Amino acid sequence: MRILQRYRMHVMFRKGLHRKIAVVVLVSSVMLLLFSRHRASYDTGSKRLLYHVLFGETLLPDPNQGLIDYFGEYVQLNISVDSNFASGQLLGWGGFFTSRLTLSNTGSRDIPQSLWQLYGYFMRQVEHEAFPYKDGFYIWSCGLKVFHVDGYLYKFQPVKDLFPGIPSGTLLECLIKVNAFQIAKTDSFPRWYVTGKDLSPRIVANTDDESLAFVSDLTRVEQYKRRPDDKSSPLTLAERYDMYNVPVAKSADINVFPTPFHVEVQTNLRMVFKRDNMKIVNEAAFAQEIKLFAELSEMQVVYAKPTRNYIKITKGPVDVIKEVKKTTHTLGHVANESYILESKPEDNSIHIVTPTSTGLFYAFQTLECILFAPEAGAGLTVEGASISLPKFRVVDAPRFSYRGLHIDVARNFASLDEVLKLVDVMSVYKMNKLHLHLSDDEGWRLEIPGLPELTEIGGNRCHDPPGERCLPPQLGSGPFNDTSGSGFYSVSDYRELLTYALEKHVQVIPEFDMPGHSRAAIKAVHAKAYQQKRRLERNEVYTIVDENDKNSFMSGQHFSDNAMNPCLASTYKFVEKIIGAVQEMHRDIQPLTLFHFGGDEVAKGAWKDSKPCRNLFNRASWFSSAPTQYELMQHFVTRVARIGASRGVSLGAWEDGLIEHTEEKGLPFPRETFQNSEMYSYVWKQPKEVSTPHRAKLFANDDYKVVLSYGSYLYFDHPYEPDPQERGLYWAARSVSTRDAWDLTAHALDADDDEGCPKRVKNKDACYKLLKPQNVIGIQAEVWSEVIRTDGHIESMLFPRLLAVAERAWHTASWEDDDTTNVIKKERDWSIFVSKVGFGELHRLEAFDIQYRVGPPGARLVNGRLLVKTEFPGQEVEYYSERTREWSRVEPNMRVTQPIRLRASSGSGRLKSREVILDPKQTSSSVGIATNSIAHMIILVVVAYKHFVLLNVIV
């Protein structure tokens, strides 16, 4: 009986124990589900670790400076893309790619378990599905925890009991997921760095490299395509050969670039222009312009007309239509920049007629272009150069009054010397608007008297976690303020630029981006030390954000605190301070007529439930709805416009800063809302935008001045080719070639004519017809500098593409007037453009020491013989000899039997393209395309099966 009783008690005990165990297991499972992540395929980590949730995280000991120095010198860092197809999604911005961060210890010491911190950069959100993770994200594969600092900056640090250390001669590999995709090496950034608590940071040495050698090449289809259905692929040599196969146009007796309105030439009558003999006859109305040109060309100014060998200038009106008796494009020409330039062999003279000094300046540029000879090096400036000229007459005026170049110096700074050089080149090509993007989240680049913190903090990036000395590193700037992440223009620098630009007939348009993209300004003016100092000195203390605002938002560049508050009176005191200071800098040199306030990409939810905004709009009650973002944006623009109008300054903004979305289709703010004499809208998104259709025409028809800045044609921070080795972003288009920029015409305004018109537009013609063509005033090329850090980067991304913009902004091609576009005329015109650039303009760029891009060569093998082409005539193709270890010029019909390295070279031999490899076994473009298509098809079938969808695939 006792035995039976004991047995029953034992059974009950076991059942109770089992229940307890079951409860523990159940609770643990629930906690695991709550605090961990299911480790399925591509699941790389967790926001929480159960052990740390239950018992707290024990931090590793701090490292010493010796370890940090050793890490920086001997740890080799590598970044690679595993696959852009990992998420199984098709083309779009969703999903993720898998990437590997590898740390190789190449030195003789072990990297122990200590709390070093590795800082680096990612263009897109790391572990975005877990975002935000203010307490970090555990990476299972390497025992590190990653933190998002802000923007593109991330921090990695070891986790106790997970991080194994990195013994000498071994490596540590972290597998991570990153939002969207990476298809270009330049999406990765240099100058990763390591530090520790209270220690000096050290750059990881092998990442201090603008060639990005520490980033693995993207050679597989899942690396260089965004998704399995991505149609773009790197060009094969054969495809590039065919693309370059443009007939060389016959050389004209005079070549002018950009193409003038009208040219007449009589080749049977000639004169000799010899600089030493020519005199410039002074014209009082243009005395200053003549003096500057004479100094540049080293010619003498005289006050009485000689009998021979002179340049005569006359002030007078020029009507280009009457002069040549032909009509032109409906967008017209700019009369006050017109001129007539002609040669007269009978007395060996040059005659110029123009109504303005600007017209005279452009006439001089045309004369310099005619006289330029590549063999002379720099044309007019070469002593003793003489050129035989036919009798000619050029009648000319620009197509657009606004011929612009935008340079972002906020993300990465460009020196004053570099900007002055670009002004020089702009003026040669008759471009007249320099739009300087002087502030953004990552930097403030102009000294403002009375607000030193804007440049002392906002003009510098460095490692300073409290954020009181500088902005944090971004975009590869590293931990020190000696790279392109730091720098600013002093007042004297800026005035020097204005003075020089005035001489070159270039208007400087300052832009300070607000209310979004304003983190540099916000962090600077809200720095506690500066605010305390201003209070002590009884100076204005600016408050441009509500520091009690707890709104959670994230900008497209991953900042959560970059929007000024439009409902604070102090915000507008700050804006007025900036406009007033800049206006004063311009006043006695180039009076400020246009101030660009940016206005773009304000993050959704930036002012959601803002108490000051509810109060301002009398919606403090919780029963009333908060003001919408577009109501607040219109309020901001109206207030800023009022400040500008009171100072006689017109206002400019990116298109989305001037559009409301109170219905399904966006509509510009009513123009009559703003009292400024002009309001400029820079239309930058795609020509066809579903959410904001017809906006270029709607802006123009409502009397905004419209500057076409389309990303898919004019964003020169995009790559020239769809190749992972090419520098650039690719959100607007996979690539933007010189031909793409040249192809832009007014027909782009009609790209969205198949879209509906916003309901509130009463006159539907305002959507589908350009009723006021005079309001489309020009085009502008853009260079945003996220991945552009050096002068060479700026110049190679701009040139030769900017030449296409100069051509299209100045000249209306004859084929543009034909609605069906005359293909034969167009291709003939392209051939002329390519020949002018290759034989003339690239040599002129080299005379200015411009590091323009040389495109890689195209090549085909025919019966074992090598045929090559370059992007522009006058360039050469070179091959690398494994036998001599030297580069040599490719000879005609050279036989090739083994893989060979090729590159193109500028005519001078100074500039080179990137290298490409020709493999005789894969010479046919059709073979390469077929191979890619088979792989492409297999991947698509797998994805289709996975998602149970039927895909229509065209190969």
Side-chain angles (χ1 to χ4, degrees):
M1 192 71 175
R2 286 181 180 175
I3 294 172
L4 184 60
Q5 239 177 355
R6 285 179 182 173
Y7 175 74
R8 285 174 178 168
M9 289 176 64
H10 177 69
V11 170
M12 290 174 66
F13 174 77
R14 288 186 65 184
K15 283 184 178 178
L17 182 63
H18 289 167
R19 287 192 190 100
K20 290 176 182 177
I21 292 171
V23 169
V24 170
V25 170
L26 180 61
V27 171
S28 299
S29 298
V30 170
M31 293 188 77
L32 278 168
L33 288 171
L34 288 173
F35 299 115
S36 298
R37 293 180 56 84
H38 176 57
R39 290 184 63 182
S41 178
Y42 301 116
D43 199 9
T44 49
S46 171
K47 287 175 74 169
R48 297 175 180 87
L49 206 59
L50 179 59
Y51 181 83
H52 290 168
V53 171
L54 293 174
F55 306 109
E57 181 178 356
T58 302
L59 297 179
L60 290 166
D62 292 323
N64 57 36
Q65 189 65 52
L67 177 64
I68 298 303
D69 295 345
Y70 173 87
F71 193 116
E73 184 174 357
Y74 291 105
V75 171
Q76 298 274 303
L77 186 149
N78 172 259
I79 297 172
S80 62
V81 173
D82 263 15
S83 175
N84 290 311
F85 300 170
S87 65
Q89 294 197 7
L90 299 183
L91 201 55
W93 284 98
F96 60 86
F97 69 93
T98 48
S99 180
R100 291 183 191 272
L101 170 65
T102 305
L103 303 174
S104 302
N105 184 353
T106 65
S108 59
R109 292 176 53 182
D110 296 341
I111 303 291
Q113 293 188 345
S114 62
L115 198 60
W116 46 262
Q117 299 162 354
L118 176 66
Y119 287 82
Y121 321 87
F122 284 87
M123 179 73 77
R124 298 181 181 88
Q125 283 184 344
V126 173
E127 300 296 346
H128 66 292
E129 293 172 329
F131 220 81
Y133 39 82
K134 66 184 181 67
D135 296 321
F137 182 91
Y138 296 90
I139 304 172
W140 301 129
S141 54
C142 59
L144 300 184
K145 188 191 282 191
V146 60
F147 297 83
H148 177 237
V149 181
D150 58 33
Y152 304 110
L153 184 64
Y154 290 82
K155 178 179 74 172
F156 297 81
Q157 67 184 37
V159 179
K160 185 176 174 60
D161 299 325
L162 291 181
F163 173 62
I166 315 176
S168 172
T170 67
L171 58 81
L172 182 75
E173 190 171 73
C174 300
L175 177 66
I176 55 179
K177 289 191 300 188
V178 186
N179 188 36
F181 35 74
Q182 175 171 341
I183 55 174
K185 284 187 74 169
T186 56
D187 280 0
S188 296
F189 298 95
R191 285 177 281 280
W192 287 55
Y193 65 95
V194 63
T195 189
K197 184 180 178 181
D198 300 326
L199 300 178
S200 298
R202 292 290 178 265
I203 295 174
V204 179
N206 79 306
T207 71
D208 194 7
D209 170 29
E210 285 296 343
S211 74
L212 302 178
F214 67 95
V215 183
S216 295
D217 289 338
L218 308 175
T219 57
R220 303 192 310 271
V221 66
E222 66 271 23
Q223 294 175 319
Y224 62 71
K225 284 182 177 287
R226 291 165 283 191
R227 292 289 182 258
D229 58 333
D230 187 354
K231 297 294 190 291
S232 66
S233 292
L235 295 177
T236 66
L237 273 81
E239 288 169 332
R240 198 178 292 112
Y241 181 95
D242 294 342
M243 186 172 69
Y244 292 168
N245 196 16
V246 177
V248 176
K250 181 182 177 183
S251 178
D253 284 284
I254 65 165
N255 283 302
V256 181
F257 190 93
T259 303
F261 182 68
H262 180 76
V263 179
E264 300 170 15
V265 178
Q266 289 181 255
T267 56
N268 59 323
L269 298 173
R270 305 194 75 84
M271 63 172 280
V272 174
F273 188 103
K274 189 168 173 52
R275 181 180 62 84
D276 294 347
N277 295 339
M278 297 298 285
K279 305 290 189 292
I280 306 176
V281 182
N282 192 55
E283 165 60 54
F286 302 130
Q288 181 64 19
E289 205 64 56
I290 291 170
K291 177 176 178 289
L292 290 171
F293 179 74
E295 290 173 356
L296 176 68
S297 60
E298 299 181 13
M299 285 192 283
Q300 184 182 351
V301 177
V302 297
Y303 292 86
K305 187 183 79 170
T307 56
R308 293 180 62 78
N309 302 321
Y310 62 90
I311 299 174
K312 177 73 169 68
I313 296 130
T314 303
K315 181 174 183 177
V318 175
D319 187 329
V320 294
I321 305 300
K322 288 183 179 178
E323 286 289 337
V324 300
K325 298 179 175 59
K326 71 175 182 180
T327 59
T328 186
H329 197 275
T330 54
L331 292 182
H333 284 81
V334 184
N336 66 356
E337 297 179 80
S338 60
Y339 65 90
I340 298 173
L341 171 70
E342 57 185 326
S343 65
K344 296 193 174 181
E346 57 268 29
D347 59 0
N348 221 62
S349 64
I350 301 290
H351 290 252
I352 298 171
V353 179
T354 183
T356 63
S357 61
T358 303
L360 178 58
F361 181 81
Y362 293 142
F364 284 150
Q365 299 312 308
T366 296
L367 180 59
E368 286 189 1
C369 187
I370 291 170
L371 295 172
F372 181 84
E375 62 273 14
L380 288 174
T381 62
V382 174
E383 187 175 353
S386 61
I387 294 179
S388 173
L389 299 176
K391 179 177 174 59
F392 66 81
R393 187 169 187 260
V394 177
V395 180
D396 202 8
R399 169 193 201 161
F400 288 125
S401 62
Y402 192 114
R403 306 177 298 279
L405 169 61
H406 161 278
I407 305 174
D408 170 14
V409 297
R411 269 59 175 269
N412 280 296
F413 185 64
S415 69
L416 177 61
D417 286 344
E418 178 64 15
V419 177
L420 293 176
K421 185 202 285 191
L422 293 176
V423 168
D424 250 342
V425 180
M426 285 176 67
S427 68
V428 164
Y429 295 112
K430 306 183 176 92
M431 299 188 73
N432 65 345
K433 310 290 182 183
L434 176 64
H435 174 174
L436 281 181
H437 186 76
L438 288 163
S439 77
D440 213 295
D441 298 320
E442 300 88 351
W444 183 285
R445 306 303 184 186
L446 181 62
E447 177 188 7
I448 301 297
L451 280 171
E453 55 266 43
L454 284 173
T455 46
E456 290 175 9
I457 294 178
N460 285 284
R461 297 207 292 261
C462 69
H463 179 72
D464 174 38
E468 289 292 313
R469 291 191 298 112
C470 55
L471 301 177
Q474 296 287 346
L475 304 167
S477 59
F480 310 117
N481 66 348
D482 57 355
T483 67
S484 60
S486 299
F488 64 90
Y489 307 115
S490 66
V491 171
S492 61
D493 289 338
Y494 190 70
R495 285 173 61 81
E496 181 182 344
L497 170 61
L498 292 175
T499 301
Y500 194 73
L502 181 67
E503 290 180 3
K504 301 295 182 180
H505 294 265
V506 172
Q507 179 186 1
V508 177
I509 300 167
E511 179 196 344
F512 296 89
D513 212 342
M514 55 182 79
H517 285 283
S518 295
R519 191 174 193 272
I522 291 166
K523 292 301 176 184
V525 300
H526 283 264
K528 290 183 176 59
Y530 282 89
Q531 286 197 333
Q532 289 170 1
K533 182 180 178 183
R534 298 182 76 79
R535 288 189 183 99
L536 287 172
E537 295 174 352
R538 303 195 178 192
N539 291 325
E540 182 81 49
V541 177
Y542 297 96
T543 302
I544 57 179
V545 293
D546 176 11
E547 294 186 341
N548 297 315
D549 192 347
K550 304 303 180 185
N551 273 339
S552 177
F553 67 91
M554 185 65 67
S555 76
Q557 291 74 29
H558 315 150
F559 292 99
S560 59
D561 52 0
N562 73 337
M564 296 180 185
N565 192 304
C567 305
L568 301 176
S570 184
T571 294
Y572 302 101
K573 291 181 181 179
F574 175 78
V575 173
E576 183 145 26
K577 171 72 173 176
I578 300 306
I579 295 178
V582 175
Q583 188 173 34
E584 185 60 32
M585 293 180 214
H586 278 252
R587 187 178 307 281
D588 57 344
I589 304 172
Q590 191 183 88
L592 183 68
T593 58
L594 174 57
F595 179 88
H596 198 297
F597 73 91
D600 60 314
E601 295 184 330
V602 177
K604 187 176 180 180
W607 309 305
K608 184 182 178 182
D609 295 328
S610 162
K611 189 173 288 186
C613 290
R614 277 183 170 272
N615 292 337
L616 181 68
F617 279 73
N618 295 317
R619 297 181 191 176
S621 167
W622 288 110
F623 297 101
S624 59
S625 60
T628 68
Q629 182 150 323
Y630 294 102
E631 286 179 294
L632 296 174
M633 192 67 199
Q634 186 167 8
H635 171 75
F636 177 82
V637 178
T638 302
R639 288 290 304 271
V640 174
R642 197 178 300 158
I643 293 168
S646 70
R647 292 176 169 275
V649 175
S650 295
L651 217 59
W654 302 108
E655 60 173 86
D656 44 328
L658 299 169
I659 291 179
E660 60 173 313
H661 285 268
T662 54
E663 58 173 87
E664 77 282 5
K665 304 290 185 184
L667 192 65
F669 296 142
R671 173 64 180 88
E672 62 267 20
T673 307
F674 313 116
Q675 300 308 307
N676 311 68
S677 60
E678 306 288 2
M679 288 289 290
Y680 291 74
S681 176
Y682 291 70
V683 177
W684 62 276
K685 295 187 178 181
Q686 303 286 31
K688 183 180 177 69
E689 287 284 339
V690 176
S691 63
T692 53
H694 319 293
R695 77 265 190 224
K697 281 181 274 196
L698 287 169
F699 274 122
N701 292 336
D702 195 25
D703 283 325
Y704 284 86
K705 299 302 180 186
V706 173
V707 180
L708 301 180
S709 310
Y710 293 128
S712 52
Y713 291 96
L714 296 167
Y715 269 41
F716 293 168
D717 54 318
H718 283 41
Y720 283 84
E721 288 187 13
D723 193 287
Q725 297 293 330
E726 293 276 345
R727 181 173 303 280
L729 307 178
Y730 39 81
W731 66 265
R734 181 61 189 89
S735 60
V736 178
S737 67
T738 304
R739 175 67 190 252
D740 291 330
W742 184 87
D743 274 338
L744 176 62
T745 69
H747 293 296
L749 296 173
D750 305 324
D752 51 11
D753 276 359
D754 58 338
E755 295 289 336
C757 192
K759 293 175 184 176
R760 284 178 296 147
V761 178
K762 294 178 181 178
N763 178 9
K764 301 305 179 186
D765 280 352
C767 284
Y768 301 107
K769 295 180 181 179
L770 187 59
L771 304 175
K772 298 180 179 180
Q774 70 275 14
N775 285 334
V776 179
I777 61 170
I779 63 177
Q780 177 171 278
E782 272 69 42
V783 173
W784 300 98
S785 64
E786 286 98 327
V787 298
I788 295 173
R789 292 176 291 275
T790 70
D791 293 350
H793 292 168
I794 295 172
E795 293 170 15
S796 65
M797 295 300 277
L798 273 177
F799 299 101
R801 289 187 287 201
L802 194 63
L803 301 181
V805 177
E807 174 74 0
R808 201 51 65 234
W810 185 270
H811 175 67
T812 306
S814 60
W815 46 266
E816 290 186 56
D817 290 322
D818 186 352
D819 288 338
T820 60
T821 305
N822 188 316
V823 175
I824 295 174
K825 274 186 178 181
K826 185 175 182 180
E827 293 309 311
R828 186 185 303 128
D829 201 24
W830 171 247
S831 174
I832 292 169
F833 173 84
V834 166
S835 297
K836 281 184 177 180
V837 169
F839 291 127
E841 303 317 308
L842 296 183
H843 295 280
R844 295 178 82 192
L845 290 178
E846 287 205 59
F848 280 101
D849 195 30
I850 293 291
Q851 301 174 63
Y852 63 84
R853 175 191 183 262
V854 177
R860 281 188 176 276
L861 277 183
V862 178
N863 298 324
R865 304 287 183 179
L866 179 61
L867 303 179
V868 294
K869 289 280 185 184
T870 57
E871 185 175 12
F872 296 101
Q875 297 176 333
E876 302 287 352
V877 179
E878 300 172 345
Y879 73 97
Y880 184 75
S881 170
E882 297 293 345
R883 181 178 59 82
T884 63
R885 305 290 180 186
E886 293 180 345
W887 287 91
S888 303
R889 179 179 171 181
V890 169
E891 299 299 330
N893 295 314
M894 190 171 84
R895 181 170 290 278
V896 175
T897 59
Q898 299 294 326
I900 188 173
R901 289 158 58 189
L902 300 172
R903 71 183 185 190
S905 172
S906 64
S908 68
R910 187 171 67 91
L911 302 173
K912 310 293 182 182
S913 76
R914 60 182 170 88
E915 296 177 22
V916 291
I917 297 176
L918 177 83
D919 187 344
K921 296 178 182 177
Q922 298 178 350
T923 53
S924 170
S925 60
S926 61
V927 172
I929 293 170
T931 303
N932 280 343
S933 297
I934 292 168
H936 203 169
M937 177 70 81
I938 292 169
I939 293 163
L940 284 167
V941 169
V942 171
V943 172
Y945 177 77
K946 181 176 178 180
H947 292 276
F948 300 96
V949 295
L950 179 64
L951 299 177
N952 295 316
V953 182
I954 299 173
V955 179

